[in-house]
Amino acid sequence: MKYVPLGSSSLNVSRVCLGSMTWGVQNNQQEANAQIDYALAQNVNFIDTAEMYAVPPSEKTYGKTETIIGNWLAANPDKRKEIILASKIAGPGFSYIREGSQISGKTVIEAIDTSLVRLKTDYIDLYQLHWPNRTSPHFGKHWPNSDGFLAEDSAEETEKMLDILQGLADSVKAGKIRYCGLSDDTPWGINQYLRLSDKYDLPRMVSIQNEFSLLKTQDWPYLIENCYQENIAYLPWSPLATGILTGKYINGARPEGSRWTYMQRNGLFRDTQNTNAAAQAYVDLAKQFDITPAQLALAWCDQVKGVTSTIIGATTLDQLKDNISAFKIELPEPLLSEINNVLKQYPMPF
């Protein structure tokens, strides 16, 4: 397993980050335990979760994934120092999470305290803002003028960011978190936080996790270049595009128990003709080069310059084994060339 610095932090993380959002809906405690045990045995030291999980999000499952991880940590206290544990505060929009309120310095402290209880730990290594106050969640399609990315009052938005940073600073000083990061944000969001950190001597954002895959490459090169030059760790989530890139949903297939059999936002699935055609092309390439479709998609993501650690998820141990094995694969130039041809044919197909 390869390890890399987590941005400007003092932490070194594995190139693979174990995602956990299925734990509590598609996976039970025992299955989650098996995934953590296997990942650690493969020298994965990075685990990502969120207060909002499990997914699909609901009041019933809110906090369930953190509780599952906390149960594992309580049963394996000697392993805590071996793990870089990341969690996230939910942004505005869910009535059952702090009545749908925006993120603030106060809610950051409240969310961290409740996460620490569920996780049964004294500290969180990386604490992230799941999505920014100024927009709805990243998971749907965004068209010009269709969302709130362009804040009407940038000064007011900046004041909110400063308040958040001050709440994070208090949590760092109290030893509750070590570092902070972003999720589902933009270059302006990154840079505004960096400016505020420099100006007021507050904690620096060390990472961002955004959706990135062969089917969603919008962060290249714009946001990824920003991260690379500012020493911000870039952490792709959904590198298999919610499972599309494994090929299991092609031609309308819906395997029992798979993610697409659960109720979720239609915008997250992006089940279009071009998406299916692109997925089929990648499946065919994987077969041609004698690797699995998941290995092709994950190995490609790992080889993108500027990617720090890729967040993977699985509902079965066999899937997890296949996913982790991808990070031992160096895709040959002929395959990379063929992948580029598909990318040109189907740029951002959903």
Side-chain angles (χ1 to χ4, degrees):
M1 181 61 62
K2 296 178 182 177
Y3 300 89
V4 288
L6 184 72
S8 60
S9 79
S10 64
L11 305 176
N12 286 316
V13 297
S14 50
R15 293 281 297 186
V16 184
C17 177
L18 179 62
S20 62
M21 70 181 187
T22 62
W23 304 348
V25 172
Q26 292 174 265
N27 293 110
N28 58 30
Q29 180 75 57
Q30 291 70 34
E31 291 166 336
N33 291 346
Q35 288 194 27
I36 296 172
D37 290 339
Y38 181 78
L40 264 61
Q42 302 305 304
N43 297 313
V44 173
N45 73 342
F46 197 10
I47 298 177
D48 179 70
T49 191
E51 66 166 344
M52 186 186 77
Y53 297 165
V55 168
S58 71
E59 186 171 7
K60 182 179 179 181
T61 60
Y62 167 69
K64 201 167 182 180
T65 305
E66 287 188 327
T67 299
I68 285 174
I69 294 172
N71 292 340
W72 184 90
L73 286 172
N76 300 272
D78 57 316
K79 299 288 187 180
R80 176 63 187 93
K81 291 184 179 180
E82 298 178 17
I83 296 171
I84 306 300
L85 181 60
S87 193
K88 301 183 280 290
I89 179 175
F94 290 100
S95 61
Y96 56 87
I97 304 178
R98 293 176 293 279
E99 299 182 339
S101 64
Q102 291 196 345
I103 302 173
S104 67
K106 180 176 180 290
T107 61
V108 159
I109 294 171
E110 291 173 356
I112 290 171
D113 287 343
T114 54
S115 285
L116 288 172
V117 172
R118 286 189 292 264
L119 290 165
K120 297 181 175 65
T121 184
D122 295 329
Y123 66 97
I124 296 169
D125 297 285
L126 174 66
Y127 197 69
Q128 305 150 108
L129 313 182
H130 208 151
W131 60 88
N133 284 328
R134 64 190 186 279
T135 182
S136 59
H138 174 79
F139 311 132
K141 295 178 179 178
H142 291 302
W143 305 107
N145 299 326
S146 67
D147 54 48
F149 270 116
L150 299 184
E152 294 296 327
D153 189 334
S154 61
E156 180 183 352
E157 194 65 39
T158 299
E159 283 300 313
K160 293 177 183 178
M161 291 176 161
L162 177 58
D163 181 50
I164 290 168
L165 280 176
Q166 289 167 337
L168 291 168
D170 289 345
S171 298
V172 171
K173 290 175 184 175
K176 296 176 182 178
I177 65 172
R178 298 176 69 186
Y179 296 98
C180 51
L182 300 170
S183 179
D184 304 317
D185 214 323
T186 65
W188 183 83
I190 293 171
N191 293 326
Q192 196 69 350
Y193 274 113
L194 293 181
R195 283 193 289 267
L196 290 169
S197 296
D198 289 342
K199 183 176 181 178
Y200 295 100
D201 192 25
L202 292 168
R204 190 179 194 274
M205 296 296 182
V206 302
S207 65
I208 185 170
Q209 55 171 265
N210 274 13
E211 184 179 6
F212 186 73
S213 72
L214 283 165
L215 299 183
K216 193 171 181 65
T217 58
Q218 68 186 28
D219 279 353
W220 177 267
Y222 311 105
L223 189 141
I224 292 179
E225 181 187 32
N226 195 157
C227 290
Y228 186 79
Q229 298 298 342
E230 295 291 348
N231 200 12
I232 300 284
Y234 184 76
L235 312 172
W237 63 261
S238 201
L240 294 178
T242 71
I244 302 171
L245 288 168
T246 67
K248 63 184 177 184
Y249 298 127
I250 292 175
N251 297 323
R254 298 293 184 268
E256 184 178 354
S258 64
R259 184 172 174 184
W260 280 23
T261 62
Y262 288 79
M263 291 295 292
Q264 292 203 31
R265 298 174 181 83
N266 291 331
L268 184 59
F269 293 156
R270 308 174 179 101
D271 186 14
T272 68
Q273 183 176 352
N274 278 349
T275 295
N276 277 271
Q280 185 65 66
Y282 290 125
V283 168
D284 292 343
L285 278 179
K287 184 176 181 180
Q288 180 183 339
F289 284 83
D290 197 29
I291 56 177
T292 69
Q295 289 173 337
L296 182 146
L298 294 174
W300 173 85
C301 194
D302 182 54
Q303 288 179 225
V304 171
K305 186 174 183 180
V307 166
T308 301
S309 180
T310 302
I311 304 170
I312 63 171
T315 53
T316 71
L317 200 54
D318 284 342
Q319 288 174 347
L320 183 61
K321 291 177 180 179
D322 187 39
N323 290 350
I324 292 178
S325 71
F327 295 83
K328 300 177 183 178
I329 296 172
E330 187 78 20
L331 298 182
E333 285 301 323
L335 175 53
L336 289 172
S337 178
E338 291 294 335
I339 289 173
N340 284 339
N341 289 336
V342 179
L343 283 168
K344 293 172 186 175
Q345 187 175 3
Y346 300 104
M348 293 284 291
F350 47 63

